[in-house]
Amino acid sequence: MEINGEADLKSPLLQCPNDVVITVSPPNQNLNKKIRTLVFKVLGITCSSCVASIEAALGRLDGVQSVMVSVLQGQAVVKYVPEVITAKMIKETVEDTGFEVAEFPEQDIALCRLRIKGMACTSCSESVERALLMVDGVKKAVVGLALGEAKIHFDPNVTNTDCIIKAVEEDAGFGAELISSGNGLNKVYLKLDGKTSPDDLTVIESSLRSLEGVNHVEIDVQEHIATISYEPDIIGPRSLIQCIQEAGSGPSTYQAILYTPPRGGETERHQEIIVYRNQFMWSCLFSVPIFVFSMVLPMLPPYGNWLRHKVINMLDIGMLLRWILCTPVQFVIGKRFYAGSYHALRRKSANMDVLVALGTNAAYFYSIYIMIKALTSESFEGQDFFETSSMLISFILLGKYLEVLAKGKTSNALAKLTELAPDTACLLTLDAEGNVISETEIDTQLIQKNDILKIVPGAKVPVDGLVIDGQSHVNESMITGEAMPVAKRPGDKVIGGTVNENGYIRIKATHVGSETALSQIVELVEAAQLAKAPVQKLADQISKFFVPTVVLAALLTWLGWFIPGQAGLYPRTWIPTAMDAFEFALQFGISVLVVACPCALGLATPTAVMVATGKGASLGVLIKGGNALENAHKVKTVVFDKTGTLTVGKPTVVSSVLFSEVSMADFCNMTIAAEANSEHPVAKAVVEHAKMLLQKHGSKNDHFTEVKEFEVHPGAGVSGKIGERAVLVGNKRLMHLFNVPLGSEVHRYVLENEHLARTCVLVAIEGTAAGAFAVTDPVKPEADRVISYLHSMNISTVMVTGDNWATAYAIAKQVGIQKVFAETDPLGKADKIKELQLQGTNVAMVGDGINDSPALVAADVGMAIGAGTDVAIEAADVVLMKSNLEDVVTALDLSRKTMSRIRINYVWALGYNVLGMPIAAGILFPFTGIRLPPWLAGACMAASSISVVCSSLLLQNYKKPLRANTA
């Protein structure tokens, strides 16, 4: 692991010296064709010659754009034109070369995200999910209630985004809007100026489509905005603008400027807030007078006497005014509840809108009945409920308004991350000698790969890049949470969004657009916020039968008061003046309908997950959704890898020795040749030390013999032939595997160093132990403190390593770990995890995310620590963005706090229902005279949703436990 390993967070997926990229340009290639990317595993790859044979076979196929095969991950990435060649043909070609293909996607899967409008409760999100899954071609759909978004995986050969949106709107009855489509393609939006007739737009579109690297072009004819998806390795936004300018000829001149579309989520949320605010204000405009006319003025004689003045028969002015004012609230402002109810009932489900519509309609139409009876009778006296209907709608709208305000704050941490990147950057133009010709300030979105950028002290780094000149210290705390500035010199990586502290540096852009670490962190957190936690299933199950149960309870409540009232089973004095038993019972029934609405239940889990994942990201801990959060709080055992996890991960050789007559130069040459192909940190340290020894002994050999029959023995070492001599480089297990005798001198040297927590790398030439290297890797300073804190959390710790027993025990003793599994290969680590799980304990695995990927996948919670490569992100449930073990504690503690908060949220959500329903049903009335009017029941229902969201927002105050203890 490099010192500046944090910047490796989003290095390319297949990054290995043995990886080869072949760019194929087949004849008559149609550049307008759509390019797709295929990723699959290839089993049996052992060396670079395997890679070459696969890439050569695929490179000969028409329609294949590029091929990349990795030795390290055994993975292939193929970009191809689906109209020229099929994925099946690619698979068959690889199998014809003699390799087995695994994890091959059976069909093309596309991805799109939709914004869903109008969801109010869990039942709504469930209905949208059902409607989406019923669409032919949709393979997976996840709907997030708190985010108001849906993520859909579908087969583009069967359906498209238009059909998916239509299903949401027509089958589920909710508004839908496309946020994004495609698997993270780089996009740029350009505003077209100059001549923009339909013919001109066609010329511009054709010119753009003809460019190599352009995947898709879409031009909005009305707004004159071009949306272009492109391959950043081939082309960039400045080249696209130049193409548009050059497309014009003669009198036609075209211009294009960068266009930044409004952030969909923020715009939509702001719009939603305005809509609810306006609806609430309009509702209040009518409801407040109704409340005054029905509740206040009648109690203040003689000011309210005029309301009792009869208009026709028993119809008085007060009742007429209440009807006039209530009707627009019921049918204009409250039409959203009718629409929601209609769509819910049409899909044979029930949601909050059904309860509200039932309650308000019962009150309104009963009041209409009272009004008609008063209009036609000369002696009838009755009480209308117009204030119940209007105030109920007003309180619900107030609750939704406050709820969307609070929900907007749940993604504050994510919004702060997206704002880290600067708006502009200084682009340098260099001559052949590297001298600066010009400096230009450009928009950050116009940066292309391999651009040279100038970063002055105090400026933010615009994109991920490589330092090529100068030196400085960069504050990476905004990304990693680590306050200490990191030294940067030529060759070091920098992350977009970090701050250059005190020196002038030049960088070369290596990752732009959606490939930057910042963009992919945001994407990961957004995906986590959309994912459902298993505990959410409880709310989903409850919501399925909750509404019908509430309707039944309301009906029973009404009957329970109406029938005894008619039969005279309770005193007539209980019924308020001017009411009869029917009206009296109706108020109880409506109150039950409204107070029991399960809106807050659906918000209990997703809002907490949103806040927790956003807060975790701001602390440098990326949690992949509610599932990882829930599993992490159950962890009782944490398994640590040794190298790069408990230790610094920068092994150094502290001594070397010869055991035979072989010369030091020969010994070093053989070792370097054998270990040159190994990516293990210990191997790199040995090679570096062997080269130093060669220089010390006067040898300046820069060309080393290539090893033949090279083979990796996981957890043991490597073997091969150099010239005619067989060479083994590895640990004692490798020597025993090949029956190499180890004399007393070798055993003594190994034993002495293992007791000092050093790893011994033995070298055998032609079946004889020739020498050895002693390698040390210092323990991280915080390791013992982290282990101690985990023990205080009642979490046991285990070390699993491929190193020898003596070294493993020495390191374990140093940090306080009691249980050790040593000399274990990568698959053996996964087996140890499974053994621990069989003992009934939930296991978290902490590793570097590459060699430990099988164990990370096998564990209940996989934590990739350090330079979080794409491999780590794929394998792990939690990605720790910096090489600090304290974040293991942070991840586990944050999960516990979040699950505790979710339980509290359920108490808030169900508490109002459990306590409110009996009170609303009138259980206290016979003893205390206390009852819950329907409008007050509506206020309680709104309060439950607001309480849940505010409860989740308290997670924003979370502090890292270890940092707090050591501050």
Side-chain angles (χ1 to χ4, degrees), residues 117-366:
K117 303 173 186 176
M119 292 193 300
C121 60
T122 309
S123 178
C124 299
S125 59
E126 284 280 300
S127 299
V128 175
E129 272 190 21
R130 283 197 299 270
L132 287 169
L133 292 171
M134 287 174 69
V135 177
D136 286 340
V138 170
K139 304 301 174 187
K140 182 183 177 185
V142 180
V143 180
L145 174 63
L147 274 180
E149 291 181 10
K151 187 175 181 181
I152 303 105
H153 298 259
F154 64 97
D155 185 349
N157 300 315
V158 178
T159 190
N160 55 40
T161 52
D162 291 336
C163 293
I164 292 170
I165 291 172
K166 187 177 178 183
V168 174
E169 293 177 340
E170 295 185 2
D171 297 339
F174 295 93
E177 181 182 282
L178 186 66
I179 300 174
S180 65
S181 60
N183 294 306
L185 293 173
N186 281 271
K187 283 185 181 179
V188 67
Y189 300 87
L190 300 177
K191 180 80 172 176
L192 304 175
D193 291 331
K195 301 276 187 177
T196 50
S197 68
D199 290 340
D200 291 321
L201 294 177
T202 303
V203 170
I204 292 171
E205 186 172 353
S206 299
S207 300
L208 289 170
R209 287 183 182 277
S210 66
L211 293 175
E212 184 175 3
V214 172
N215 292 326
H216 182 70
V217 179
E218 187 178 326
I219 297 181
D220 186 328
V221 179
Q222 300 296 324
E223 300 292 333
H224 296 161
I225 294 170
T227 305
I228 307 152
S229 300
Y230 63 95
E231 294 285 348
D233 291 325
I234 302 173
I235 200 168
R238 294 202 308 279
S239 303
L240 297 171
I241 292 173
Q242 185 181 351
C243 170
I244 293 171
Q245 292 171 345
E246 292 174 352
S249 60
S252 298
T253 57
Y254 306 139
Q255 296 293 325
I257 57 173
L258 195 66
Y259 171 75
T260 305
R263 284 180 59 192
E266 289 302 314
T267 305
E268 187 68 29
R269 188 175 292 114
H270 184 63
Q271 186 64 30
E272 190 180 19
I273 288 170
I274 291 172
V275 167
Y276 275 119
R277 185 195 65 193
N278 292 344
Q279 287 184 342
F280 171 64
M281 296 302 290
W282 277 106
S283 181
C284 283
L285 186 66
F286 294 101
S287 298
V288 171
I290 294 174
F291 179 77
V292 172
F293 294 158
S294 62
M295 301 282 188
V296 180
L297 288 180
M299 299 174 67
L300 299 173
Y303 303 106
N305 292 346
W306 62 278
L307 291 169
R308 299 192 186 95
H309 181 73
K310 303 294 187 289
V311 180
I312 301 173
N313 289 333
M314 298 303 291
L315 178 65
D316 58 36
I317 291 175
M319 188 180 297
L320 186 63
L321 286 175
R322 289 193 291 271
W323 170 67
I324 292 170
L325 292 169
C326 178
T327 300
V329 178
Q330 182 71 34
F331 297 107
V332 179
I333 298 169
K335 68 179 179 181
R336 60 183 300 118
F337 302 113
Y338 286 100
S341 301
Y342 166 72
H343 290 295
L345 295 172
R346 199 183 71 170
R347 58 181 180 259
K348 298 178 181 177
S349 66
N351 59 7
M352 181 199 81
D353 293 334
V354 173
L355 293 179
V356 175
L358 278 173
T360 56
N361 276 310
Y364 181 82
F365 285 106
Y366 178 73

Side-chain angles (χ1 to χ4, degrees), residues 22 53 93 116 192 234 264 315 341 371 383 388 464 556 559 639 644 696 709 859 864 868 882 887 899 936 941:
I22 294 181
S53 62
T93 303
I116 310 297
L192 304 175
I234 302 173
L315 178 65
S341 301
M371 192 174 75
Q383 175 70 40
T388 295
D464 296 1
L556 292 174
L559 290 173
V639 177
K696 187 178 177 182
E709 299 178 22
K882 47 188 170 42
D887 287 340
M899 293 309 299
L936 189 57
M941 187 208 71

Side-chain angles (χ1 to χ4, degrees), residues 230 275 338 402 414 419 512 601 621 648 751 780 877 889 895:
Y230 63 95
V275 167
Y338 286 100
L402 295 175
L414 188 58
E419 293 165 2
V512 297
L601 200 62
V621 178
V648 174
L751 200 60
K780 289 181 179 177
D877 302 298
V889 173
S895 74

